[in-house]
Amino acid sequence: MAQAGRRPGQTETREKILDAARRRFAEQGYDGATVRGIAADAGVNAALLHHFFGTKQRLFAESMNLPVNPDELVPRILDGPDDEIGERLVRAFLGIWQVPEGRAPFLAMIRSATTNEQVATMMRQFLERAVLARVAEARGVPKVRVAGVAAQMIGFALLRYVIELPPLVRASEDELVAMLAPVAQYYLTADVHRPDIPRG
């Protein structure tokens, strides 16, 4: 009896698309790589990319082996009481990083971004377009404030998982949430009409 699953032709086509996507993203960055261009490189119709991956964000996440799909992560962060969004964001972030198989792709990208401008550009564009802009729009806050949250969380990840600063390594999830969530909450709920808050 034949096993259920994708037909060999579908699997092969999917891998061709992912290979083409990796090359395009590496060469042109997240913004420069288009679905049409990736499809042309893979020798398929652009509609097939949407069939397999749905969105450009998901295609990027899968081609980079990222353990998270922004189309699922962003709604999860936004869904719930306004006064708990900081905690939801931090717990979602920690949930990804605390699992070794989830942490590895992000660590590789952070390490590469410090020495490779192409990787840095690709990571920056992806964060801005796929995550930050969507959260900022939904919260009605300037993008610079959501970028502040990203800077905080990436800096934390660098210190805990790359440099391995002992107090952060030893801290429990609840301790980390108690420390990080109020800052994230401030960035995402501060009065955007105050003149001293930068806009952008």
Side-chain angles (χ1 to χ4, degrees):
M1 182 176 178
Q3 289 185 326
R6 286 194 183 95
R7 296 191 298 271
Q10 289 181 312
T11 301
E12 182 180 345
T13 300
R14 194 172 186 277
E15 289 306 314
K16 283 174 63 177
I17 293 170
L18 288 172
D19 287 342
R22 291 185 192 102
R23 288 194 301 272
R24 281 274 179 165
F25 285 131
E27 293 169 1
Q28 301 177 337
Y30 180 79
D31 283 353
T34 65
V35 168
R36 188 178 299 275
I38 293 168
D41 289 352
V44 300
N45 188 289
L48 200 55
L49 271 74
H50 294 291
H51 169 73
F52 281 122
F53 303 101
T55 64
K56 182 180 175 181
Q57 292 96 319
R58 184 179 172 191
L59 174 59
F60 178 87
E62 292 206 31
S63 67
M64 297 293 113
N65 294 317
L66 299 184
V68 61
N69 177 4
D71 293 332
E72 298 172 358
L73 178 65
V74 172
R76 196 163 80 233
I77 292 171
L78 295 173
D79 186 26
D82 286 353
D83 60 357
E84 296 175 5
I85 189 171
E87 179 174 345
R88 291 196 302 275
L89 184 146
V90 172
R91 288 196 184 277
F93 182 89
L94 292 175
I96 296 167
W97 282 84
Q98 287 177 349
V99 180
E101 56 268 28
R103 183 163 68 240
F106 285 113
L107 282 176
M109 287 192 74
I110 287 177
R111 289 185 174 119
S112 298
T114 60
T115 58
N116 187 309
E117 179 58 29
Q118 285 181 315
V119 176
T121 298
M122 184 167 57
M123 185 176 182
R124 182 172 62 247
Q125 291 174 347
F126 174 68
L127 282 173
E128 181 178 351
R129 301 290 189 272
V131 181
L132 302 183
R134 295 167 67 183
V135 173
E137 181 179 2
R139 297 294 300 171
V141 300
K143 284 188 289 185
V144 66
R145 299 190 67 75
V146 187
V149 178
Q152 177 194 14
M153 300 308 298
I154 291 173
F156 158 77
L158 188 65
L159 288 172
R160 189 182 201 206
Y161 297 109
V162 179
I163 297 175
E164 297 185 345
L165 196 64
L168 291 181
V169 172
R170 291 193 297 264
S172 69
E173 178 177 333
D174 286 340
E175 288 175 318
L176 295 173
V177 170
M179 177 179 65
L180 298 170
V183 181
Q185 185 73 31
Y186 169 76
Y187 276 122
L188 295 174
T189 59
D191 184 357
V192 299
H193 300 296
R194 278 173 40 193
D196 59 316
I197 294 179
R199 304 185 69 82

